[in-house]
Amino acid sequence: AGFIKVDHDYVVNAAAMAKSVGCMHFLVVSSYGANKDSSFLYIKTKGEVEEDLKAISFDNLSIFRPGMLLCDRVERRPIEACIRCCWKPMPQWFVKEGAINTDNLAAAMVNKALNPSSEKVETIENKHIYELI
């Protein structure tokens, strides 16, 4: 319940409030594979968020679907740390398919905010996020 409250309700409610005060372009970090019909809670929740944001009808909605987020975390996540460690020696073309540094994701989001697409709803997958940096 806490996960859904934070990852779904807070995001959708913040978007609705932003729209109510005139926000025309909303950007959101979703997840690789987001799908409202998934049986996996995380992927399903992200897919539901995307659908609910589309219903708010912003002039522009940019949905970022990064893969593994590469960053140093304060909290301990041993399995995630192991996966991140495995990504480091991988060729850059491989990394671009499934992972991104959080600094690069943020830079891409700023660039998209400054240069919105002509599409009403734009879903930007991990490898295309790199094109926005």
Side-chain angles (χ1 to χ4, degrees):
F3 169 75
I4 292 171
K5 183 177 184 178
V6 171
D7 276 42
H8 178 275
D9 300 347
Y10 286 176
V11 174
V12 173
N13 291 340
M17 284 189 286
K19 173 76 174 181
S20 74
V21 294
C23 177
M24 299 175 3
H25 185 189
F26 194 81
L27 297 89
V28 66
V29 177
S30 184
S31 174
Y32 172 81
N35 180 345
K36 66 179 177 56
D37 298 319
S38 176
S39 58
F40 296 102
L41 178 64
Y42 184 83
I43 298 300
K44 178 180 180 130
T45 303
K46 295 296 185 178
E48 290 172 348
V49 167
E50 290 182 10
E51 292 304 310
D52 290 345
L53 292 177
K54 289 174 187 176
I56 294 175
S57 290
F58 288 97
D59 290 352
N60 293 96
L61 173 62
S62 298
I63 301 169
F64 288 79
R65 287 186 173 176
M68 170 67 73
L69 295 175
L70 304 175
C71 63
D72 294 323
R73 296 184 184 268
V74 175
E75 71 272 9
R76 294 179 47 83
R77 294 183 180 182
I79 294 172
E80 193 175 287
C82 181
I83 293 169
R84 281 196 317 270
C85 186
C86 292
W87 279 107
K88 288 181 181 179
M90 296 292 182
Q92 191 61 25
W93 64 266
F94 185 78
V95 172
K96 285 184 177 182
E97 288 294 323
I100 191 163
N101 183 289
T102 53
D103 292 340
N104 288 337
L105 174 58
M109 292 181 79
V110 168
N111 286 337
K112 180 50 66 177
L114 296 173
N115 302 293
S117 170
S118 60
E119 298 177 51
K120 184 171 179 62
V121 177
E122 181 179 26
T123 302
I124 307 158
E125 301 291 343
N126 195 79
K127 70 180 181 178
H128 299 295
I129 295 171
Y130 282 93
E131 298 168 7
L132 298 172
I133 300 170

